[in-house]
Amino acid sequence: MGSDYDRESELKAFDDSKTGVKGLVDAGVAKVPRMFIHSQHNPHEMSVSTNTQLSIPIIDLDGVHSDAIRRAKIVGEVRNACETWGMFQIFNHGIMKSILDEMIQGIRGFNEQDAEVKKEFYTRDFTKKVIYVSNFDLFQGPAATWKDSFSCIIAPNPPEPTDLPEVCRDIIVEYSKQVMMLTNTLLELAAEALGLKSNHLKDMQCADGVYLIGHYYPACPEPELTLGTKIHTDPSVLTVLLQDQVGGLQLLHQNQWVNVNPVPGALVINSGDLLQLVSNDMFKSSKHRVLANHKAPRVSVGSFFSPFILSSSKLYGPIKELLSEENPPKYKEMTVRDYHAFFIAKGLDGTSALQHFKL
């Protein structure tokens, strides 16, 4: 990097535009601006698996509420997926494909509408309930990523529907209602997979805080120079991810990057840092990233389930019922707010925030 490069000014001009990466693409950029170049990013630093048999588990939820034998089989599949991968896909989950498609179109519509309308929502005040921004860690991270993000609190205390963008207002309300019902089931399955009572994780308020983030990754002229999302783990108990059919999500598994190929009608489930913490490492939080691509804009919608939105002094640590002399606690107790504050301050630097809380 040349000594005459003023990165701070480039960042500020980008942020002040309030039009994000989409604004750069609309202006016709043919090269990736320097602020987005990941000097230490090498798409080949760890091999991408060429083994077509190596893919994250896909779990069929059909019969989960009506057939005890099927449910026991599903619980076993969830246990294996959370222990081995930290990520899996589900189908027959009860949310109609038309709802999924409309949610993707809602986030696409928000990002592709007139820039002046979007600007009204652009902010770095992360206490707001509705936020449009590009790169939450823009001024902290070593390099920006090729995406813009719309986010809102879903629970508790969601914004008034009229505070949501008109173009995606109705579908956010409907989709979120259905994802919350689904996640109650997923938390029951995760609890049973840990050998606990069905309601154990729900009783810990694991589903009481919900945050929705819709990412828009514009097509990139030089995708090999940047990333859509940096390597990270999720600061949640569970994340329910809806992705379109463009692809680019990769999971780090046994030092290989595994493509999480889109499956029409399926949802991707991540076990997050807080599930790894309360399970005392029985379940793993998956490291993943999103590649930039030159083909077409990619859209994804993540619903993050965590108590962090609750202003609570409640302490979280490894679940007592899972501990023994042979399996002592590996993490200290903490409030989820403290954890989340550390995660935000740290930024997406490729390391897990959990290391900070290890005993």
Side-chain angles (χ1 to χ4, degrees), residues 27 39-40 79 153 231 276 299 303:
S39 57
Q40 288 154 354
R79 180 186 304 112
I153 290 174
I231 303 170
Q276 180 169 331
V299 176
S303 299

Side-chain angles (χ1 to χ4, degrees), residues 147-217:
K147 72 168 178 294
D148 302 324
S149 306
F150 168 84
S151 59
C152 62
I153 290 174
I154 299 300
N157 308 317
E160 293 296 325
T162 51
D163 293 332
L164 293 168
E166 188 175 356
V167 68
C168 52
R169 178 182 301 158
D170 293 344
I171 189 58
I172 285 175
V173 172
E174 180 57 32
Y175 173 77
S176 297
K177 186 167 59 176
Q178 298 207 23
V179 167
M180 288 169 75
M181 289 169 54
L182 169 63
T183 302
N184 276 323
T185 298
L186 293 171
L187 285 172
E188 288 177 5
L189 296 173
E192 291 169 34
L194 289 168
L196 302 166
K197 291 181 180 175
S198 291
N199 286 339
H200 198 112
L201 294 173
K202 290 194 290 186
D203 289 346
M204 291 171 63
Q205 298 181 302
C206 288
D208 288 12
V210 191
Y211 201 72
L212 179 142
I213 306 181
H215 292 309
Y216 182 89
Y217 304 83

Side-chain angles (χ1 to χ4, degrees), residues 246-278:
V246 172
L249 175 63
Q250 294 184 326
L251 167 77
L252 188 60
H253 179 70
Q254 297 175 350
N255 286 324
Q256 288 188 95
W257 287 109
V258 178
N259 291 318
V260 182
N261 295 318
V263 175
L267 292 163
V268 179
I269 311 301
N270 288 3
S271 50
D273 287 354
L274 294 176
L275 186 56
Q276 180 169 331
L277 180 139
V278 299

Side-chain angles (χ1 to χ4, degrees), residues 13-298:
F14 172 76
D15 199 44
D16 288 348
S17 77
K18 299 186 176 182
T19 57
V21 177
K22 177 73 163 59
L24 297 177
V25 172
D26 289 346
V29 293
K31 289 192 167 296
V32 169
R34 194 179 289 191
M35 60 178 273
F36 292 95
I37 295 176
H38 291 241
S39 57
Q40 288 154 354
H41 167 55
N42 173 2
H44 309 292
E45 86 278 18
M46 278 174 273
S47 62
V48 176
S49 174
T50 55
N51 181 356
T52 54
Q53 302 302 309
L54 193 62
S55 61
I56 71 168
I58 300 178
I59 299 176
D60 181 358
L61 293 189
D62 186 44
V64 70
H65 295 299
S66 58
D67 183 333
I69 294 172
R70 273 288 302 142
R71 186 178 179 102
K73 181 174 184 293
I74 292 167
V75 167
E77 291 174 346
V78 168
R79 180 186 304 112
N80 178 62
C82 290
E83 287 177 347
T84 309
W85 291 86
M87 184 181 286
F88 55 97
Q89 299 203 61
I90 56 172
F91 66 103
N92 285 327
H93 43 64
I95 304 179
M96 289 170 55
K97 187 171 180 296
S98 59
I99 297 286
L100 305 182
D101 292 345
E102 195 178 337
M103 186 67 249
I104 290 288
Q105 284 307 117
I107 295 300
R108 189 185 306 280
F110 172 81
N111 284 277
E112 295 180 355
Q113 69 183 327
D114 184 90
E116 293 305 313
V117 180
K118 282 192 296 185
K119 281 182 181 180
E120 295 175 26
F121 295 95
Y122 197 92
T123 181
R124 283 197 185 278
D125 178 357
F126 296 115
T127 63
K128 291 194 171 182
K129 292 186 177 183
V130 180
I131 296 168
Y132 160 57
V133 77
S134 188
N135 288 263
F136 82 88
D137 60 348
L138 182 69
F139 294 97
Q140 293 105 308
T145 53
W146 201 257
K147 72 168 178 294
D148 302 324
S149 306
F150 168 84
S151 59
C152 62
I153 290 174
I154 299 300
N157 308 317
E160 293 296 325
T162 51
D163 293 332
L164 293 168
E166 188 175 356
V167 68
C168 52
R169 178 182 301 158
D170 293 344
I171 189 58
I172 285 175
V173 172
E174 180 57 32
Y175 173 77
S176 297
K177 186 167 59 176
Q178 298 207 23
V179 167
M180 288 169 75
M181 289 169 54
L182 169 63
T183 302
N184 276 323
T185 298
L186 293 171
L187 285 172
E188 288 177 5
L189 296 173
E192 291 169 34
L194 289 168
L196 302 166
K197 291 181 180 175
S198 291
N199 286 339
H200 198 112
L201 294 173
K202 290 194 290 186
D203 289 346
M204 291 171 63
Q205 298 181 302
C206 288
D208 288 12
V210 191
Y211 201 72
L212 179 142
I213 306 181
H215 292 309
Y216 182 89
Y217 304 83
C220 180
E222 298 176 300
E224 70 281 358
L225 296 181
T226 189
L227 282 165
T229 299
K230 290 174 271 194
I231 303 170
H232 68 287
T233 56
D234 286 353
S236 56
V237 177
L238 283 181
T239 305
V240 179
L241 181 79
L242 167 64
Q243 60 172 341
D244 68 9
Q245 298 303 300
V246 172
L249 175 63
Q250 294 184 326
L251 167 77
L252 188 60
H253 179 70
Q254 297 175 350
N255 286 324
Q256 288 188 95
W257 287 109
V258 178
N259 291 318
V260 182
N261 295 318
V263 175
L267 292 163
V268 179
I269 311 301
N270 288 3
S271 50
D273 287 354
L274 294 176
L275 186 56
Q276 180 169 331
L277 180 139
V278 299
S279 72
N280 207 41
D281 285 353
M282 285 178 65
F283 289 171
K284 65 190 290 184
S285 180
S286 63
K287 280 191 175 180
H288 50 284
R289 69 180 182 183
V290 177
L291 300 182
N293 85 88
H294 66 273
K295 298 177 297 186
R298 176 182 185 267

